[in-house]
Amino acid sequence: MAAGKGVIICQNKKDAIKALNSIFNDKAFGSAGNKVVIEEFLEGEEASFIAVVSKDKIIPLVTSQDHKAVGDGDVGLNTGGMGAYSPAPIVSDEIHQKILEQVMQPTMKGLIEEGSPYLGFLYAGLMIKNNEIKVLEFNCRFGDPETQPILLRLKSSLVNLCLAAINNTLDSYDIEWTQAHSCGVVIASKGYPENYESNKEIQININDENDTKLFHAGTKYENNKILTSGGRVFCATALGVDLKEAQQNAYNLVDKVNFEGAFFRKDIGYKGIK
Ligand code: GLY
């Protein structure tokens, strides 16, 4: 995880030459910039595809999409993710099948052929445009904050899913999901994704509420108080009959949490609703 440091997105040839000058001549990245990799410029919409893999067996989780930029309308610095929703409408049934056949299964088989069969969660970060899929990255983990809306939709047991993967019995495992949509909004500390403050006391005013979950991330419990201890502090996650309702429920939950310097995006899910 390098927060995109060393990556320059060039919109045209002039920008590309400027970037190369700053790397090679001005040594913007020191000796780390003695070699550069130039990649195809990818346009489209990002989606996350996470599956449980057990050697030669695979169960895809429900689809999800996160919002990486810090600001509303997807502007500003990239973060680990300011919120996410599930399902991701960009992943149609046809695209889903393509991802399985063209990305996940060949990766799983390739790992076996290389003598490194995989066991665990495999996350493909994808760029999708006009039904074409490009792989941006693989992560050997769940996604954050994609996991929170995904897990809220999981009706069967996560532990039993993990055990089925460990025992290589995924092919007979029945994973159960709710058809409801879910949305998770990250509540962050002022300054994130750059320097941020910690140790702010948190007030949470939640009664027993159905179909919502406030996931803690950057928090700690000290002297009977809950304090902030990270950039992304919570993910307020909720279900709804559709994404719009899930979004509304998630923002209702956000309103029940307060600490000095708390901020969040106001438009998580807008791409899916559109
Ligand atoms: N949300 C992006 C990631 O988990 O890598």
Side-chain angles (χ1 to χ4, degrees):
M1 292 295 217
K5 287 189 266 296
V7 176
I8 302 177
I9 298 172
C10 302
Q11 304 288 340
N12 51 49
K13 196 168 169 181
K14 196 168 143 228
D15 285 356
I17 291 171
K18 198 168 142 205
L20 290 174
N21 267 327
S22 83
I23 296 169
F24 287 138
N25 297 331
D26 305 339
K27 295 277 170 211
F29 302 122
S31 59
N34 288 347
K35 195 169 164 185
V36 302
V37 178
I38 299 177
E39 293 187 320
E40 180 187 352
F41 188 101
L42 296 185
E43 284 174 288
E45 224 178 286
E46 271 189 70
S48 308
F49 197 93
I50 304 168
V52 189
V53 177
S54 171
K55 297 179 193 157
D56 55 342
K57 301 183 176 70
I58 186 166
I59 294 189
L61 305 186
V62 285
T63 58
S64 62
Q65 217 169 344
D66 72 344
H67 287 273
K68 296 223 165 54
V70 72
D72 289 355
D74 294 310
V75 298
L77 293 176
N78 255 5
T79 69
M82 292 299 290
Y85 50 96
S86 172
I90 183 96
V91 184
S92 61
D93 289 348
E94 187 193 344
I95 296 268
H96 194 275
Q97 197 54 30
K98 260 191 177 177
I99 296 169
L100 269 178
E101 286 170 8
Q102 295 177 8
V103 179
M104 304 306 278
Q105 282 161 356
T107 304
M108 185 176 80
K109 285 186 191 137
L111 286 165
I112 293 171
E113 279 161 24
E114 288 183 5
S116 305
Y118 186 72
L119 173 64
F121 292 96
L122 185 63
Y123 165 140
L126 306 165
M127 188 70 95
I128 299 168
K129 191 179 181 195
N130 300 334
N131 276 0
E132 287 299 315
I133 312 155
K134 302 270 170 115
V135 178
L136 297 170
E137 60 175 355
F138 280 110
N139 291 308
C140 297
R141 56 169 175 84
F142 259 130
D144 183 8
E146 294 93 322
T147 305
Q148 294 87 323
I150 289 176
L151 285 188
L152 217 58
R153 296 186 60 207
L154 182 65
K155 281 170 67 181
S156 43
S157 151
L158 177 65
V159 173
N160 288 343
L161 175 64
C162 294
L163 287 173
I166 290 167
N167 297 326
N168 197 231
T169 54
L170 281 181
D171 46 355
S172 58
Y173 187 77
D174 241 347
I175 192 165
E176 249 190 286
W177 303 100
T178 162
Q179 289 306 307
H181 291 239
S182 64
C183 180
V185 177
V186 167
I187 309 173
S189 297
K190 184 178 168 190
Y192 177 77
E194 296 182 295
N195 292 337
Y196 54 81
E197 294 176 340
S198 292
N199 295 312
K200 302 291 178 195
E201 190 175 342
I202 301 164
Q203 286 87 39
I204 303 175
N205 180 21
I206 300 178
N207 298 317
D208 202 13
E209 291 173 39
N210 290 332
D211 293 341
T212 64
K213 205 164 261 219
L214 184 67
F215 287 89
H216 288 237
T219 64
K220 61 181 176 184
Y221 191 58
E222 246 174 42
N223 302 326
N224 291 327
K225 288 180 180 160
I226 305 171
L227 305 174
T228 64
S229 66
R232 288 187 292 170
V233 182
F234 294 101
C235 186
T237 312
L239 294 174
V241 288
D242 54 22
L243 181 52
K244 210 167 168 51
E245 190 183 281
Q247 184 194 51
Q248 186 58 53
N249 292 341
Y251 279 106
N252 289 345
L253 188 60
V254 169
D255 285 344
K256 294 175 178 158
V257 178
N258 198 23
F259 57 88
E260 190 191 319
F263 80 95
F264 52 88
R265 275 184 57 164
K266 315 278 186 304
D267 62 349
I268 298 301
Y270 84 90
K271 280 188 292 195
I273 291 169
K274 197 171 70 185

